[in-house]
Amino acid sequence: MKQTALVIGAGIGGIATAARLAKNGYDVTVLEKNDTPGGRCNQLTQEGHRFDIGPTLFLMPEVWEETFASIGERMSDHLDLRRIDPTYKVYFDDGLQLELTSDIGKMQTQLEKIEETAFSGFLNYIAEGNKHYKVSLEKFVGRNFFNIFEYFSLKNLPLIFQLKALGKHYTNTGRFFKDERLKAAFTFQNMYLGLSPYDAPATYSLLQYTELAEGVWYPMGGLYAGIQALVKIAEKLGVKFIYNAPVKKINVGKSKVESVETADGKKLTADIIVGNADLPYIYKELLPDAKEAKKLDEKLYTCSTIMFYWGVDKQYPQIAHHNVFLGGDYKTSFDDIFEKHTLPESPSFYVHAPARTDEAAAPKGQDTLYVLVPVGHLDARSQQDWDAIVNRARETVFARLAKEFGITDLKEHIKFEVVYQPKTWKERFNLEKGAAFGLSHNFWQVGYLRPQNRHKKYKNLYFTGASTHPGTGLPIVLLSARLTTERILKERSKIAVQNVNEPTLNPA
């Protein structure tokens, strides 16, 4: 008889884990709160405009390729990838512009205009990022740790220092660049993980390596094309998706989960349960574990975001595919986000214009603009007037686009606006504190020190997703799905062997 699995949540981690388990012979059902799969990697379509709701950068294609291969498919049969180069146009508050590109000659010309030794610093920085990327993926991010001694083993300890896991990213960047603007240009990528470069481990120079060396890609149809492809394959493998089915409670026995209860009172059982809802939410709302929920609540969380999705009846060709606008005081802006949990006085923001690459993202002669403004997460202890904060963020974007491009008529050409803010992230996706990227990644919240992918007490309850090991970001969550599946298959096969070897009493 087939082993059964129940997955709570159809985020990318839940979908990939479900598909991997089905490929390995499991009968899998996925329960999803919303009416579409994808979680934060979702899609919004309105009046012919198509937006990715969350992630817009397709990074680490080899991790995606391994995911498709593990479920019997080739990524190239499902996704039409286009490389985006320059990866971004970066606009500084003082008028400086920088195109981050894999064209080494162009980088040299741009960097040496800013700082005489910046190009050699850049080459050394990317070389360090390459080392960090390869060691992290092989020794830390791409494997399970089953105890603290494995993590802090004699083999791993030197690697932790080699990866500069105890150093800070922004400080470390000062070894390669002196100009503060260049330090900002090569650390703002920490925001993909919802982190401040002043707190993020120096290990994260790997982000710039993977972008410039391995490329920033765009799947035609948007990032959501990746979700659609994985769901289609999962369904072909027999996975059953049930939408509009929020889970109300995980019912537990002494050492295992007995059943999962949906909001409409249905109880479902399975041999194993995989939680792909945000981990702190599972502990706080679904499990009878107030002590562990409190411990998770006290951990560091990533920032949140204010999102504007604008359907525009005019094209603005001066806005590239990926654009980053850095605000004034870089350090103060991160302090405002991560310590005061608010919007900085001079906010930085990111604009995505997918129709530059994919004309189908907008009606002909029109534009689809996605704006992300980093902001503090929900904090009951501080005064957060979200209507006022959202309005100030919107006006900042209008003013900056007018300053950089002379775009003064955008307001008049917006046909519709959809806004997401921290409360939306919390209500729609059950993200604790509205933290858009889940739990943070400092030294004490990575590797074995991050919440593990199986419950300590309930041995048939596993986890996948951004707030468990190894962490946040689409390719890293795909790795989470692999690691969780590997652990399930390993542990369940041990149990099966034990059951076979148990002596049985022969009737007299």
Side-chain angles (χ1 to χ4, degrees), residues 444-473:
W444 303 105
Q445 290 181 193
V446 293
Y448 183 75
L449 305 174
R450 196 168 183 81
Q452 292 298 289
N453 53 14
R454 198 204 69 199
H455 197 283
K456 281 180 192 169
K457 184 177 178 184
Y458 311 119
K459 306 297 188 192
N460 65 337
L461 176 57
Y462 295 84
F463 306 107
T464 185
S467 289
T468 185
H469 175 67
T472 195

Side-chain angles (χ1 to χ4, degrees), residues 99-161:
E99 287 190 354
L100 295 184
T101 171
S102 57
D103 183 324
I104 293 296
K106 279 187 183 172
M107 283 302 291
Q108 181 173 9
T109 303
Q110 293 181 92
L111 292 172
E112 288 180 348
K113 279 182 184 171
I114 301 167
E115 181 184 307
E116 198 179 331
T117 59
F119 182 63
S120 60
F122 165 74
L123 294 177
N124 290 329
Y125 183 67
I126 295 300
E128 181 181 272
N130 170 39
K131 184 173 72 177
H132 287 176
Y133 177 75
K134 289 184 174 162
V135 173
S136 293
L137 214 56
E138 186 187 339
K139 304 290 186 185
F140 292 97
V141 176
R143 59 159 293 186
N144 281 309
F145 293 96
F146 297 101
N147 59 61
I148 194 82
F149 304 106
E150 277 187 356
Y151 187 58
F152 289 117
S153 68
L154 290 175
K155 276 185 183 176
N156 274 2
L157 273 175
L159 296 176
I160 289 171
F161 288 101

Side-chain angles (χ1 to χ4, degrees), residues 153 176 179 298 465:
S153 68
F176 305 96
D179 191 288
E298 288 167 357

Side-chain angles (χ1 to χ4, degrees), residues 199-452:
D199 297 323
T203 315
Y204 288 122
S205 59
L206 62 85
L207 289 168
Q208 292 73 41
Y209 163 76
T210 186
E211 285 181 355
L212 293 173
E214 300 196 350
V216 171
W217 301 80
Y218 178 83
M220 297 302 278
L223 267 285
Y224 199 63
I227 296 293
Q228 290 169 318
L230 290 172
V231 168
K232 186 179 171 186
I233 297 163
E235 288 177 334
K236 194 169 85 172
L237 291 167
V239 176
K240 184 183 178 190
F241 288 86
I242 303 174
Y243 299 107
N244 299 307
V247 169
K248 181 173 74 176
K249 192 179 177 190
I250 297 173
N251 296 308
V252 297
K254 209 168 186 179
S255 63
K256 67 172 197 167
V257 171
E258 302 288 355
S259 67
V260 167
E261 195 173 332
T262 56
D264 60 3
K266 285 184 189 147
K267 286 187 181 177
L268 296 96
T269 59
D271 295 309
I272 61 159
I273 311 298
V274 181
N276 179 227
D278 192 35
L279 192 75
Y281 174 83
I282 292 176
Y283 276 97
K284 186 177 177 183
E285 302 294 342
L286 304 184
L287 285 169
D289 201 341
K291 189 179 171 188
E292 191 63 29
K294 187 171 187 297
K295 272 166 65 178
L296 284 171
D297 188 63
E298 288 167 357
K299 288 187 179 291
L300 286 177
Y301 283 73
T302 55
C303 68
S304 191
T305 61
I306 293 168
M307 313 292 297
F308 300 109
Y309 308 102
W310 289 331
V312 184
D313 66 10
K314 176 182 175 180
Q315 279 185 330
Y316 292 96
Q318 56 271 63
I319 301 175
H321 189 110
H322 296 299
N323 311 266
V324 173
F325 300 85
L326 295 175
D329 189 326
Y330 197 60
K331 172 77 166 70
T332 301
S333 71
F334 284 107
D335 289 345
D336 287 344
I337 292 167
F338 290 94
E339 290 175 22
K340 297 179 182 174
H341 301 141
T342 189
L343 182 71
E345 205 56 49
S346 175
S348 299
F349 61 94
Y350 159 78
V351 179
H352 177 230
R356 295 302 158 273
T357 305
D358 186 355
E359 288 181 0
K364 195 170 182 182
Q366 301 189 26
D367 235 337
T368 291
L369 298 179
Y370 158 122
V371 180
L372 182 157
V373 187
V375 70
H377 62 59
L378 298 172
D379 182 358
R381 294 165 300 180
S382 64
Q383 294 294 314
Q384 294 174 308
D385 180 344
W386 287 109
D387 288 342
I389 290 171
V390 166
N391 287 337
R392 186 159 69 83
R394 186 189 295 106
E395 291 306 317
T396 297
V397 175
F398 288 145
R400 189 70 186 269
L401 294 179
K403 175 186 166 185
E404 299 292 350
F405 304 127
I407 294 174
T408 55
D409 62 349
L410 179 57
K411 270 187 202 180
E412 291 78 62
H413 289 282
I414 293 174
K415 299 191 293 181
F416 65 86
E417 172 187 83
V418 176
V419 178
Y420 274 40
Q421 46 110 317
K423 286 180 180 176
T424 322
W425 293 118
K426 183 172 185 184
E427 287 159 14
R428 182 161 183 204
F429 300 111
N430 291 333
L431 295 172
E432 196 57 32
K433 302 180 194 286
F437 309 86
L439 285 176
S440 190
H441 299 71
N442 64 3
F443 178 75
W444 303 105
Q445 290 181 193
V446 293
Y448 183 75
L449 305 174
R450 196 168 183 81
Q452 292 298 289

